[in-house]
Amino acid sequence: MGLQIFTYAIHKAGVADDSAMELIAAAGKIDSDAKVTAIVTGSGAELDQVCNTLSECCSEILKIDHEALAYPNAELIRKLLVKILPDNAVFLAVHDTFGMDLAPGLSVKTESAFVADVVEFEGVDGSNLKIIRQEYSGMVSTHVTCDISTGAVLTCRPGSFQPDEVTGAGGRVIDKSGEFGDISVGRRFLEVVEAEIGDVDITKSEVLVSIGRGIEDEDNIEIAEDLAKAMGADISCSRPIVDAKWLEKARQVGTSGQTVKPKVYLALGISGSFQHLGGLKGSPFIIAVNKNPKAPIFQVADVGIIEDILEFVPELTEKIEEG
Amino acid sequence: MEILVCVKRVPDTSENEIEVNSNGADIERDDLVYSVNEWDNYAVEEAIQLRDKVGGSVTVVTVGDDESEEVLRREMAMGADKGVLLSDDAFTGSDGMGTTAILKAEIEKGKYDLILTGAQADDGAGQIGGMLASILDVPYASLVNYIEVLDENKIKVGREIEGGNQEMNELNLPCVLSIQTGINEPRYVGIRGIRKVAKLEIPIHGASDLGISADSVGAAGARVKRVDYFVPDFGEGAEILEGSTDEKIEKMIEILKAKGGIK
Ligand SMILES: Cc1cc2nc3c(=O)[nH]c(=O)nc-3n(C[C@H](O)[C@H](O)[C@H](O)COP(=O)(O)OP(=O)(O)OC[C@H]3O[C@@H](n4cnc5c(N)ncnc54)[C@H](O)[C@@H]3O)c2cc1C
């Protein structure tokens, strides 16, 4: 008999997030005979829509419908999961801002092992699950073993597991709303404040000149702006540039910034973290300039140039201006 | 407000090329430039600003070896009042739970209203804050980019969520928060600042001081173990342009034109 694996499904406005299917695929990577149970929490009719979608992909869905779950407060959901999950359960969530909030504490409460940001599973050996993850901003990978004999809480990197083809699994939806009972927590959700809109909408740009920490100094941004002007492109950036307040937040590409879909993306001094690349959609043609030949950005770029951007970019601009 | 900030000494990824050593057991540690974890620096700055606003003290703590003292001193030069080093051979090889258990033992020796960690460190796990909150049985919020003290028992925090949106929450104190970069602008620390705190004593607490049995932490107590480091084969990767700088520029302009990158 296979392992029983639980996945937590993220959804919005009645639509299951891509990650919900990715987790089901990830569970299959842990154990191809696994019995996969998706857990869906929320409130109202939207929830039924999500359960219907998921019933096509896994054998069982636990639905918890309660108005207190209308917004996913990780503190509440953690307590709920502690009630619902059987002893020694293997539980998967996605490594996003919700999973990061929920999962480490859940492993404490369920007394199980915890591994974050898994990029690959390589099966189970005895009671040890074999895992691949990355360290040092993706510059190196590691093999990790995780003793799952007393259960495990694992978060998976978004986009790392390809969803299986929908098989029409005909999954059973079980209503567990009664389990909610009278959970109360010391953190109350108030509201979501939407990110500010900037003066340029980089989500519409066809060509982006994007700068990262490699630009080194605020004064150097000018050289990227000159290049962008010569190319007829817009300027975008990675997170550290916004943290330093050198450019406005609306210029940031990535999971906690904008999702862009240009035709051409020129990455200057950007290492290529998964949070940054998570904001690049529609398979743009990526050209990366970086002085470190081992920078992870070269794994995903189409064309790579190993140069110091502070010297290379002004020369490039000059040549483009010459026509 | 009594504030504790958990910090870590890490290889600075923006200063180093991280490479796997010859047997894959570790990364190449020779000539690495270390610094305080980027996220932790924001956490310490935030703690100092909160203390300056509402009073109290800031303590920085780290689980590490003798060399980790330098990051504590750096954060004290920023303005933290106290530093504590948690160090013992028995701590080596701890997984997230092990590190959390060590920190918990130190935390229970004091009385803190607010405990801060960085949102993540060099291993990208982002696990310590959440584990600490659960083991201490207090509320938690991760990826915090805004803190406002409401009264003695409550704070309002913003969490940075997908798309840069901000999720506002109210939390009861005491609580644990993990801090996201960009919440503030960490102050600069010069050599002079570090010299000023050079003589301050930093207590070192080991397993017996903390009442921790050695086999519950470290490699002995770890359910999660790193087997090795490696660099995976990512397949093709980028076509690297070769030649002189001029030749690269010429090729690049050609490619840009072909792909519609120059308007
Ligand atoms: C929850 C969460 C959300 C996040 N969201 C985002 C997000 O939305 N967007 C985002 O970008 N990041 C995000 N991050 C941060 C992300 O993890 C990385 O820290 C960040 O992307 C690194 O930015 P970078 O590549 O510019 O800097 P670094 O990783 O420091 O890379 C700098 C690169 O520049 C190169 N370089 C340095 N000097 C030069 C030079 N003179 N010439 C050429 N190359 C040079 C270096 O070799 C290096 O590869 C998030 C992190 C978390 C935890």
Side-chain angles (χ1 to χ4, degrees):
Chain A
M1 203 188 76
L3 282 169
Q4 188 176 16
I5 301 177
F6 294 83
T7 66
Y8 183 85
I10 301 275
H11 56 90
K12 208 171 183 182
V15 182
D17 190 65
D18 289 347
S19 68
M21 316 304 171
E22 292 171 17
L23 290 181
I24 293 167
K29 280 268 187 152
I30 294 176
D31 176 3
S32 53
D33 295 329
K35 178 186 171 212
V36 183
T37 300
I39 300 176
V40 191
T41 71
S43 168
E46 288 182 356
L47 208 53
D48 294 315
Q49 259 170 278
V50 180
C51 290
N52 281 341
T53 315
L54 289 174
S55 68
E56 301 289 314
C57 326
C58 63
S59 57
E60 191 175 86
I61 295 103
L62 304 183
K63 166 180 121 168
I64 303 98
D65 184 344
H66 194 285
E67 57 177 8
L69 296 168
Y71 186 85
N73 176 344
E75 295 283 284
L76 266 182
I77 292 167
R78 188 178 314 113
K79 278 205 170 165
L80 177 66
L81 290 170
V82 172
K83 282 189 171 187
I84 289 176
L85 292 172
D87 284 349
N88 308 332
V90 174
F91 173 84
L92 304 183
V94 63
H95 186 72
D96 64 359
T97 63
F98 173 77
M100 290 176 85
D101 217 28
L102 171 81
L106 181 65
S107 75
V108 170
K109 294 296 184 193
T110 57
E111 293 173 20
S112 42
F114 178 67
V115 181
D117 193 21
V118 173
V119 300
E120 183 69 293
F121 290 110
E122 295 191 312
V124 184
D125 180 7
S127 67
N128 275 330
L129 174 60
K130 299 196 284 181
I131 291 171
I132 296 179
R133 58 188 310 283
Q134 298 181 336
E135 295 192 17
Y136 304 106
S137 311
M139 285 200 265
V140 291
S141 294
T142 65
H143 291 105
V144 171
T145 61
C146 171
D147 181 351
I148 60 170
S149 54
T150 55
V153 172
L154 310 161
T155 63
C156 300
R157 178 175 295 186
S160 285
F161 296 89
Q162 285 310 308
D164 307 320
E165 263 177 51
V166 175
T167 51
R172 215 157 46 105
V173 180
I174 303 170
D175 194 328
K176 288 269 184 187
S177 306
E179 296 277 347
F180 190 84
D182 54 354
I183 296 175
S184 72
V185 291
R187 168 173 145 196
R188 290 159 298 280
F189 166 70
L190 302 173
E191 60 171 333
V192 170
V193 181
E194 303 274 329
E196 273 171 40
I197 297 166
D199 43 6
V200 176
D201 183 0
I202 60 167
T203 67
K204 302 225 162 60
S205 304
E206 287 204 343
V207 184
L208 285 171
V209 171
S210 205
I211 52 173
R213 186 148 31 207
I215 200 78
E216 286 173 17
D217 197 282
E218 186 168 14
D219 294 340
N220 296 334
I221 291 179
E222 213 181 310
I223 64 170
E225 282 170 346
D226 290 345
L227 174 63
K229 204 166 148 217
M231 289 168 60
D234 294 318
I235 289 274
S236 60
C237 64
S238 68
R239 180 168 184 118
I241 303 301
V242 174
D243 287 341
K245 314 265 187 305
W246 294 347
L247 289 175
E248 54 175 356
K249 181 82 179 167
R251 301 253 182 192
Q252 180 190 318
V253 173
T255 56
S256 62
Q258 305 295 324
T259 300
V260 298
K261 31 190 183 324
K263 277 200 288 197
V264 177
Y265 191 74
L266 178 53
L268 305 175
I270 292 176
S271 64
S273 69
F274 82 89
Q275 291 101 343
H276 184 77
L277 299 173
L280 276 180
K281 290 280 142 73
S283 27
F285 190 83
I286 303 175
I287 306 177
V289 187
N290 197 301
K291 66 178 181 187
N292 177 4
K294 300 216 171 78
I297 187 90
F298 290 131
Q299 293 153 15
V300 294
D302 296 279
V303 169
I305 295 161
I306 298 157
E307 285 277 357
D308 185 326
I309 54 172
L310 302 180
E311 288 160 23
F312 183 80
V313 171
E315 287 186 47
L316 175 65
T317 307
E318 205 173 300
K319 289 276 159 53
I320 292 176
E321 281 169 346
E322 281 169 14
Chain B
M1 188 177 257
E2 300 303 310
I3 310 173
L4 181 82
V5 191
C6 307
V7 302
K8 186 178 181 186
R9 177 177 181 262
V10 300
D12 188 337
T13 50
S14 57
E15 294 282 337
N16 299 291
E17 286 181 26
I18 306 286
E19 288 183 46
V20 179
N21 76 0
S22 55
N23 63 10
D26 197 0
I27 55 168
E28 201 57 76
R29 300 253 171 204
D30 295 345
D31 308 321
L32 275 190
V33 179
Y34 284 83
S35 60
V36 62
N37 174 41
E38 183 182 359
W39 281 265
D40 302 346
N41 220 23
Y42 287 89
V44 172
E45 176 65 37
E46 194 63 19
I48 292 168
Q49 290 187 17
L50 284 171
R51 178 204 59 197
D52 291 348
K53 216 176 282 168
V54 301
S57 75
V58 175
T59 304
V60 283
V61 62
T62 189
V63 179
D65 54 16
D66 294 347
E67 305 204 58
S68 294
E69 209 194 275
E70 78 186 26
V71 303
L72 293 176
R73 236 173 253 294
R74 190 192 175 282
E75 304 305 277
M76 287 161 77
M78 272 175 86
D81 303 278
K82 279 175 273 183
V84 184
L85 174 61
L86 309 180
S87 188
D88 198 306
D89 289 345
F91 297 167
T92 311
S94 291
D95 60 5
M97 240 349 265
T99 304
T100 302
I102 297 162
L103 288 166
K104 172 185 183 246
E106 174 63 30
I107 289 166
E108 287 180 337
K109 286 160 69 99
K111 197 173 179 311
Y112 298 100
D113 305 296
L114 184 62
I115 295 163
L116 305 182
T117 69
Q120 62 176 38
D122 51 350
D123 62 6
Q127 58 191 349
I128 301 300
M131 286 182 170
L132 260 182
S134 275
I135 211 168
L136 296 167
D137 217 10
V138 299
Y140 175 60
S142 63
L143 300 163
V144 167
N145 66 355
Y146 174 81
I147 304 178
E148 181 188 337
V149 178
L150 297 176
D151 60 40
E152 271 172 27
N153 305 311
K154 281 200 304 288
I155 57 173
K156 185 173 170 180
V157 309
R159 295 185 59 234
E160 193 184 67
I161 55 172
E162 273 66 29
N165 296 335
Q166 194 181 34
E167 177 197 292
M168 304 307 295
N169 295 272
E170 204 176 273
L171 274 82
N172 299 348
L173 293 172
C175 69
V176 180
L177 307 175
S178 87
I179 302 298
Q180 177 60 303
T181 55
I183 184 173
N184 52 39
E185 291 176 72
R187 66 198 67 190
Y188 174 77
V189 183
I191 296 285
R192 274 183 56 204
I194 298 203
R195 262 195 221 129
K196 267 196 193 154
V197 297
K199 295 225 161 57
L200 293 181
E201 202 203 332
I202 295 181
I204 302 175
H205 296 163
S208 61
D209 304 311
L210 296 169
I212 297 173
S213 73
D215 56 1
S216 66
V217 295
R223 280 180 284 184
V224 178
K225 294 192 167 87
R226 187 191 297 113
V227 180
D228 64 2
Y229 286 97
F230 68 103
V231 177
D233 179 8
F234 283 100
E236 278 195 29
E239 176 202 345
I240 302 292
L241 300 188
E242 310 282 355
S244 68
T245 303
D246 281 343
E247 285 166 343
K248 290 180 198 169
I249 288 176
E250 204 174 301
K251 272 188 219 160
M252 179 163 166
I253 291 176
E254 228 170 80
I255 293 168
L256 277 173
K257 281 185 178 152
K259 298 289 171 187
I262 298 179
K263 285 189 200 158

